[in-house]
Amino acid sequence: MISQDLTLQAILSNGVATVRQTLGRMFSAMAAEKAKKWRKLVLTPVFAIVQSCATSSFSIESWSGEVTMRMNKLAALVVGTTLLCLLLISATGLKGSNTSPASGKVAPDFTLQDSEGASVNLSAYKGRVVLLDFWATWCHGCQTEIPWYVEFQNRYKSRGLAAIGVSMDDDGWKSVKPFLQQNKLNYPVVIGNQALAKVYGVDALPVTLLIDRQGKIVRTHAGMVDKSSFEHEIQALLREK
């Protein structure tokens, strides 16, 4: 009976992990202030309920009847809470509207300061392929992508790639500087603002743009990129002169 208890617990724990990852990705794609609000109101209670079910002790005598009924109820709970989150997110407009400038348009210029106080001017990068990443320290998808962008910067800098990170953290350098010290990014990072987010149509994170050597937007990726496909896009732009 103990082995069956452990097996059921493992199944439930795997289910909780899947729900956690899925909802985590959804909340990573929200604007910062909305994500903070809905993490507290929705995500934390949902995880508490589901985790409570997964860690409850069960008295199991067989793999039929009562056990099946309990597992069905737990499955319904997991699915139901996930759908509830989706409905709440949809109802409150937390999904990105993808209103970024169209491909082929010149990327809106900006001048912002990096962590050392040096000016970073986008138009000064004309002649290089720019990877422009809108991100935040609380964004799980962003944290996954950033090591990829560090890798691309190392690999393709000599061929003309220039990555720029634009943090959308509400508290600015207070959160970003410790993150930079811990992660050692090899490209400049600046702090964005609502005006810049508006002209680039950034109302969800992450958002990554590829800008060609003429300063025109070629690709806009809302949400996490596919690493392999994204690298192929970079390679194709670097071959263009």
Side-chain angles (χ1 to χ4, degrees):
M1 295 306 102
I2 293 176
S3 61
Q4 290 179 345
D5 282 343
L6 293 176
T7 302
L8 179 56
Q9 294 286 28
I11 292 171
L12 294 174
S13 295
N14 288 337
V16 171
T18 300
V19 173
R20 183 182 292 274
Q21 291 169 4
T22 301
L23 295 179
R25 282 193 290 269
M26 292 193 306
F27 276 76
S28 290
M30 297 178 188
E33 64 277 6
K34 293 178 180 178
K36 289 177 180 178
K37 173 183 176 182
W38 287 97
R39 276 197 201 99
K40 181 178 180 180
L41 294 179
V42 178
L43 197 59
T44 300
V46 166
F47 284 167
I49 293 169
V50 177
Q51 190 68 47
S52 175
C53 292
T55 57
S56 297
S57 59
F58 292 89
S59 176
I60 301 176
E61 296 182 358
S62 68
W63 282 94
S64 62
E66 184 180 358
V67 173
T68 301
M69 180 180 67
R70 289 186 179 182
M71 289 191 68
N72 287 341
K73 286 182 178 179
L74 288 169
L77 177 62
V78 171
V79 172
T81 50
T82 302
L83 290 176
L84 175 61
C85 285
L86 288 169
L87 288 171
L88 287 171
I89 291 168
S90 176
T92 51
L94 296 180
K95 288 186 66 178
S97 60
N98 195 23
T99 57
S100 57
S103 295
K105 300 292 185 180
V106 174
D109 196 17
F110 61 81
T111 300
L112 296 168
Q113 293 185 329
D114 66 14
S115 60
E116 301 298 326
S119 293
V120 176
N121 178 235
L122 180 62
S123 61
Y125 286 79
K126 191 172 183 179
R128 285 180 275 182
V129 172
V130 176
L131 186 166
L132 185 61
D133 176 35
F134 287 87
W135 66 285
T137 57
W138 49 261
C139 168
H140 297 294
C142 305
Q143 293 177 26
T144 299
E145 290 180 328
I146 285 173
W148 300 346
Y149 299 162
V150 169
E151 179 183 334
F152 295 156
Q153 179 75 350
N154 278 329
R155 186 174 300 161
Y156 299 113
K157 181 179 179 180
S158 62
R159 293 174 54 185
L161 179 68
I164 302 173
V166 181
S167 166
M168 300 303 297
D169 284 271
D170 290 338
D171 57 359
W173 294 119
K174 181 179 179 180
S175 291
V176 175
K177 282 189 175 181
F179 182 90
L180 296 180
Q181 291 171 357
Q182 182 177 357
N183 293 276
K184 308 297 182 184
L185 275 64
N186 57 356
Y187 53 84
V189 171
V190 298
I191 302 297
N193 51 51
Q194 291 304 310
L196 185 62
K198 184 175 181 179
V199 297
Y200 274 96
V202 177
D203 54 8
L205 296 174
V207 172
T208 308
L209 296 92
L210 285 177
I211 301 169
D212 68 14
R213 296 181 190 272
Q214 287 71 50
K216 295 181 179 179
I217 297 171
V218 178
R219 296 282 188 277
T220 299
H221 293 272
M224 281 183 59
V225 302
D226 177 83
K227 183 182 179 184
S228 178
S229 298
F230 191 63
E231 185 170 11
H232 288 317
E233 292 176 3
I234 292 172
Q235 292 170 342
L237 285 175
L238 290 173
R239 287 194 291 268
E240 297 178 1
K241 300 299 182 182

